[in-house]
Amino acid sequence: MSEEVNKNQEAENLQNEAEKKSESTEKQELNRESTDQENKDQASEESKLESEAKSEDSSESSTLEAETTKKSSKIDSADANEQDSPSDAVADSDSTETSQPEPNQTTKNATDELDEANAEDSEDEDVSKRHEIELKDYDSMSLDELVIEIEKLLSNEKIQSIREHVTQIKIAFDKKFNEIIEEKKEAFIEEGGNIIDFQYTSPVKKKFNSIYFDYREKRDQYYNQLKKNLNQNLKERLSIIEELKNMIGAGESMNSTFQHFKDLQERWKNAGPIPKSEYRQVWENYHFHVERFYDFLHLDREFRDLDFKHNLDQKLKLISRAEELIKEDDINRAFRELQLLHKMWKEELGPVAREFREEIWEKFSHATQQIHDKRQAYFEELDKEREKNLAVKEEVIEEIRKIADQEVTSHNDAQTKIKNIEKLREIFFKAGKVPRKDMDEIWNAFKKHTRTFNRKKNAFYKNLKQDQFENLKKKLDLIEVAEEHKDSEDFETTTPLMKKIQDQWKEIGHVPRKDSDKIWKKFKNACNHYFNRLHSKKNEDLDEEFKAFLAKKDLINKVKSAQLPDNKDESLKTIEGFIEEWGEIGAVPRNKKYIEGKFNKTLDQLFKKTGVEKKEAELLKYESRLHDLDEGSERDINREVFFIRKKIDETKDNINQFENNLQFFSSTDDSNPLVKEVKDKIERYRDELSMWKTKLDKLNQL
C-alpha cells in the first residue's frame, strides 16, 4: 500500500507540474494561434531553412530511422513467435485491442492538431518562453521600426524563441521594401533606363540584412547542435524500447522486473526531445511495448492492478482538468494546457484496466473536441473582427484609386497627391490583419492602384524634365548676359538691364535639380558683382553730392548778403554769376533737393530789387538747371523734356477750359468781376505757356 501511496503522490506531482506549465502561457498574445495557422500558408525562406536544419538526417540518423521503421513494421508480430512463456498467448490476444479506441473523424482532427503541436514542441526544450514573447503587428511598422524590433529580439531573447517573430518581421520588411523597389524600377525605366542596369539599395536595407545574417548564423549554429542532440535522444529512446521489449521472459523476479520497468519509464521521461518526424512513430512503438508489458503482468495481478489503478486515477484527474478548461475564457491558454495534458496522457502515464480504456478515452476526447470547437469559434470570431480592418483597407484602396484615376497637372499637384498617398499607405498598414481569405485580393488591389498613381506621377515628371531642360537653356542665356555686363561702367544703361534679367530669371521656372544650385550661384555672383560696384559708385557720388550741398548752402548765404550795383546791367551780370557758380557746384543728394527752392526764392528777391520781369527772371534761373542737365545724362534730359511738354499740355488745357467758361457768360464785359477774373487767369496761363515753350526751345538746343 505504501507503494500505491507513492504512486499517487507521484501522479499528483505530475498534475501540479502540468498546472504550473500551463500558467506560463497566460502572457501570450490572443493572435498567437491565428498566426500559427497563417504561418503554415506563408512559409518563408527562413522557416524552410530552419526546418531543414531540424529534419536533415546525418548518416547516423538515417540508420536510426531505418531501425525505427523496421521495428514499427514488426509491431503486430513482435514476439508472436516466442514460445518461452505462457504469457505470450495472453500478449497476442490483448495486443489486438489498443489502449484507446479509434476516434471518429471530427475527434481525430482535434487530437491530430494536438499531436502535431506536441510533435513540433518536442524539438524545443524552451517552448514556453517562445509563447511568452509578444507578437506585435509588424505590418503596421515602418522599415526603421522593423529593424529596431529584430535587433532588440536578437539582443534580448534566445535564438530558438524568436523564429516566428523574425519570420513575420522579414515578411513585413520584404513586402514594404519590394514595393519601394517596384516604384524605383518603374521610374528608372520610364526615364529611359535599361532594366539590366537597374540597382537600388538603402542604409535601412543594409542594416536589416546585416542583422538578419547574424540571426541566421546563430540560428544555424543552434539547430546544428540541436540536430545532434535530437538524434542522440532518439538513439536513447530506441534503446529504451529495445530493453522494454527484451524484458518479457527474461526470467527475473517479478519485483525486479517491475522495478526495471519503472527505471525505464523514468529514463524515457528524461530522455529529451527527438526529431519531429520521428515523434509519433517512436511514441506508438514505445506505447505498444508498455501495454504488452502490462499484459505480461497478468501473472502477478497485484503489480498490474496497482499500476492500472494509479494510471486510472491520474487520467481521471487529466479528464477533470480538461473539462475545467472548457470554461476557460482565455482560448489560447486553454489550448496550450490541453496540449500539456495530452502529452502527459501519452508520454507519462501508462494504460488502465481494459474495462475503463474506452470510457475514459471517450471522456477525454469529448473534452478535447469541445475545446477544439471553442477554439475554432474563436478564430471565426477573430475573422469577424478582422472584417472591420478589411473595411478600413477597402476604403483606403478606394481613396487611392480616386487619386490614381486623376491626371497630375503640376508639380504642386504631384506633391499634394504624393503626401495624400503616403498618409493612406500609413493608414493601410496600421489597419491590422484582414481575414486570410481576403489577404491576397486586398494586397493585389492596393499594389495595383498605388502603381497606377506612380506611373502617372513618373510620366508627369518625365515630361516636366523636358521643360526643365528648356528652362535651363534660357537661364544659361541670362547668365551669359549677366557676366557680359557685370563690369560695365555705363551704370545708367546697364542697371535697368540687370534688373530686367533678374525678373526674367524668376519667371522662367524650374530646371533639373542637379543643375539648379550650380547655375543659380553663377547668376547670383555675376549680379552681385555688378550691383556691389553700383552701390560703391553711388556711395562715392553721395559723398560728392553732400559736399555740393554744403557749397550751395554757403552760396545762398553769400547771395543773401550780396550788395548789387546801382546799374541794372551790372546787377544782372552779378546775378548771372551767382547762377553760373550754382550750376558749377554740381548735383546734391536727392533728399536735399529742397535747397533748389531756397536758391530760387533768394534770386527772386534780387530780381525784384533789380526790376527784372518775372519771365526774364524765370529764364535766367533756368540757366542753372540747363547747366546741370548738360553735365548729366541723356536720360535726365529726356525726363526734363517730358516734364516740360506735360506742363505745356496742362497749360493749354487750362486756357481752353477758361475760354470755354467765358461762353457761359451773357456778357464778356470786364465790368463783371467774374469775367475779369477768368480773363486774368487766361492771360497768366498764356504767359506760363510762353515761358514753358521758351524752356523747351533751350532744352532742344542741348
Side-chain angles (χ1 to χ4, degrees), residues 622 637-653 689 691-697 699-700:
Y622 194 64
I637 296 175
N638 290 335
R639 189 182 293 115
E640 184 72 11
V641 169
F642 176 79
F643 171 75
I644 292 179
R645 284 177 176 171
K646 183 179 179 182
K647 285 293 184 180
I648 291 174
D649 293 337
E650 289 176 354
T651 305
K652 286 180 179 180
D653 291 339
L689 179 61
M691 182 191 65
W692 289 122
K693 286 182 178 181
T694 303
K695 286 183 178 182
L696 182 60
D697 290 338
L699 269 176
N700 289 334

Side-chain angles (χ1 to χ4, degrees), residues 106-303:
T106 305
T107 304
K108 187 174 186 300
N109 291 338
T111 55
D112 283 350
E113 183 178 0
L114 286 159
D115 286 344
E116 181 70 19
N118 278 328
E120 181 177 357
D121 290 349
S122 72
E123 294 182 338
D124 190 350
E125 295 176 310
D126 198 20
V127 63
S128 61
K129 177 63 176 175
R130 187 179 75 228
H131 299 317
E132 288 179 4
I133 302 175
E134 180 184 7
L135 263 174
K136 300 180 180 179
D137 187 4
Y138 300 118
D139 285 338
S140 66
M141 294 183 179
S142 66
L143 294 178
D144 289 324
E145 289 172 334
L146 290 171
V147 169
I148 293 172
E149 194 63 30
I150 190 175
E151 191 173 29
K152 188 188 301 180
L153 286 170
L154 196 58
S155 300
N156 301 335
E157 306 294 347
K158 293 183 178 180
I159 198 70
Q160 69 270 28
S161 304
I162 62 175
R163 173 186 61 82
E164 188 176 358
H165 304 73
V166 173
T167 298
Q168 290 202 30
I169 289 174
K170 189 172 191 307
I171 290 173
F173 187 94
D174 288 345
K175 183 188 294 183
K176 293 187 176 185
F177 189 75
N178 287 339
E179 186 182 354
I180 295 174
I181 287 182
E182 288 299 322
E183 292 178 6
K184 299 293 184 183
K185 187 184 298 181
E186 288 175 4
F188 179 77
I189 294 173
E190 288 180 2
E191 290 177 0
N194 190 326
I195 188 62
I196 300 176
D197 301 325
F198 176 76
Q199 289 183 346
Y200 177 77
T201 186
S202 69
V204 68
K205 175 64 172 173
K206 290 180 179 178
K207 186 171 183 180
F208 182 85
N209 287 346
S210 175
I211 297 172
Y212 187 70
F213 179 80
D214 291 343
Y215 162 74
R216 289 183 59 177
E217 279 196 329
K218 294 179 180 178
R219 179 205 63 190
D220 291 347
Q221 291 173 3
Y222 170 79
Y223 283 111
N224 285 335
Q225 184 60 45
L226 178 63
K227 182 178 69 174
K228 295 178 181 178
N229 295 340
L230 293 176
N231 287 327
Q232 184 62 38
N233 295 339
L234 175 61
K235 185 176 181 180
E236 171 65 13
R237 289 185 183 271
L238 291 176
S239 173
I240 292 171
I241 293 173
E242 191 66 23
E243 287 189 51
L244 182 60
K245 173 183 173 182
N246 295 329
M247 282 177 58
I248 300 176
E252 297 180 356
S253 68
M254 192 57 66
N255 285 337
S256 176
T257 300
F258 192 75
Q259 185 58 48
H260 187 190
F261 172 72
K262 286 300 180 183
D263 291 341
L264 290 178
Q265 282 187 313
E266 187 64 23
R267 282 172 57 194
W268 180 270
K269 180 179 177 181
N270 299 324
I274 63 174
K276 174 183 174 181
S277 58
E278 306 292 340
Y279 176 78
R280 184 188 294 270
Q281 188 65 51
V282 171
W283 178 82
E284 288 178 352
N285 200 355
Y286 169 75
H287 192 69
F288 169 80
H289 289 291
V290 168
E291 281 195 343
R292 187 167 178 272
F293 176 80
Y294 275 101
D295 289 335
F296 167 74
L297 286 181
H298 78 286
L299 295 176
D300 194 327
R301 293 185 179 276
E302 180 183 356
F303 285 107

